[in-house]
Amino acid sequence: MSEQPSGRTGSGSKREFHHPEEVLAFVEGIRESNRRAIGRYEQYVEQVGDLTGEGFSSDGTVRAEVDHDGIVAALDIPDTALRRGRYLAEMILTAIREAQAARALKLAELGSALGAGRTLEMVREAIPEHVRDAVEQHRERHR
Amino acid sequence: MDPHAMTERTRRIQEAITEASVEVTSDDHAVTVVVGPGGAVRDLHLSTRAFHYGGAELGQVVVATIRAANTRMAEELSAIMADILGAGTRPPFAPLPTPAQLRTQLDGGDGGAR
């Protein structure tokens, strides 16, 4: 029993072929679509490679920076912040968490541009609202 | 692999990642940090010695202590994973292929066009 060759288009609908050239053109179309996806992935890899995050304590005096792996790379503590005594540890933690949240959000936004489904929504949900608000306020200020 | 064994292995990995925690104190006992996987800093304690430093120096001590804790965390997680997955097993967090590797597979292979 012979059957017409067929393929699925990007929208999932079934397509039937009548000539070998149509099959070849269909396969080449898939390859071209994969090439474009690799191009978008390449751009993502380049952007992610340099992706760092910056965050601040609630009073803006302590600044933290995380590297492309999300690990704390720098902490700027002004001498005046030392006067905050036992509150200083919490100020440092706030700055670090905000820097990591800022990087995670940027990473998820890049992933969304690549077509990574609900990633951005899930990352936003995982970050406490007050940290997310602080990240967005700092972004607004630097726009 | 038996599906039950796979579910149990996944559960143990999730549990290990959720519970993993490393505490490190700087040599001078000024800074103590508790870190989790993925660079998470769970807690930070500054002793009275921390306040003998200037701000810039204290920042460096905190960063160095966090990085030392992260290194130990990575070692411990790696040991836990080897224990769960068995020695010599490829780690579950293997790096993603590079765009160049993907291009080679797409253009260098048969592209699946059979």
Side-chain angles (χ1 to χ4, degrees):
Chain A
M1 187 168 64
S2 80
E3 211 176 78
Q4 283 289 4
S6 63
R8 294 260 171 209
T9 63
S11 61
S13 59
K14 199 175 177 187
R15 180 177 158 177
E16 291 194 350
F17 302 110
H18 304 285
H19 301 286
E21 291 77 16
E22 288 176 31
V23 178
L24 289 175
F26 182 73
V27 170
E28 186 47 44
I30 294 171
R31 287 167 73 102
E32 187 48 42
S33 159
N34 287 342
R35 279 188 203 104
R36 283 197 299 271
I38 292 173
R40 289 197 298 276
Y41 175 57
E42 186 165 38
Q43 204 181 356
Y44 172 80
V45 169
E46 275 171 21
Q47 290 171 322
V48 165
D50 301 328
L51 202 63
T52 57
E54 185 184 41
F56 297 86
S57 54
S58 331
D59 65 355
T61 56
V62 175
R63 175 187 167 276
E65 192 181 317
V66 296
D67 65 15
H68 57 278
D69 288 323
I71 306 292
V72 182
L75 264 178
D76 296 334
I77 304 172
D79 289 340
T80 51
L82 297 171
R83 290 190 216 126
R84 301 296 300 274
R86 63 196 173 94
Y87 296 109
L88 181 58
E90 196 53 44
M91 289 161 68
I92 294 170
L93 278 176
T94 300
I96 291 171
R97 286 173 185 155
E98 192 184 304
Q100 288 174 329
R103 179 186 163 275
L105 279 171
K106 281 196 262 179
L107 196 62
E109 283 164 7
L110 289 173
S112 284
L114 195 69
R118 282 193 67 238
T119 309
L120 179 57
E121 207 181 316
M122 286 162 72
V123 169
R124 286 181 62 84
E125 282 167 9
I127 296 171
E129 198 176 344
H130 70 281
V131 178
R132 214 168 56 211
D133 288 347
V135 170
E136 282 165 1
Q137 279 167 17
H138 279 120
R139 277 183 171 188
E140 280 298 316
R141 257 179 252 150
H142 287 92
R143 257 179 203 152
Chain B
M1 182 194 267
D2 159 21
H4 293 293
M6 197 182 276
T7 306
E8 174 59 13
R9 182 188 270 191
T10 307
R11 190 195 61 75
R12 287 181 65 200
I13 291 174
Q14 280 176 339
E15 194 178 270
I17 291 173
T18 309
E19 291 176 2
S21 173
V22 164
E23 180 176 316
V24 167
T25 299
S26 59
D27 292 340
D28 60 0
H29 300 276
V31 176
T32 298
V33 297
V34 179
V35 304
V41 182
R42 293 190 173 145
D43 202 6
L44 170 69
H45 176 75
L46 302 176
S47 75
T48 49
R49 290 184 191 209
F51 295 91
H52 295 168
Y53 287 113
E57 287 169 305
L58 178 59
Q60 286 170 7
V61 175
V62 174
V63 170
T65 311
I66 290 172
R67 294 189 85 92
N70 282 325
T71 302
R72 262 187 49 198
M73 178 86 258
E75 288 165 0
E76 287 195 12
L77 262 188
S78 177
I80 292 168
M81 289 301 166
D83 184 44
I84 296 173
L85 301 172
T89 312
R90 196 161 173 262
F93 310 116
L96 292 169
T98 65
Q101 285 169 330
L102 290 173
R103 276 207 181 87
T104 306
Q105 279 177 21
L106 181 68
D107 295 327
D110 61 8
R114 277 170 203 252

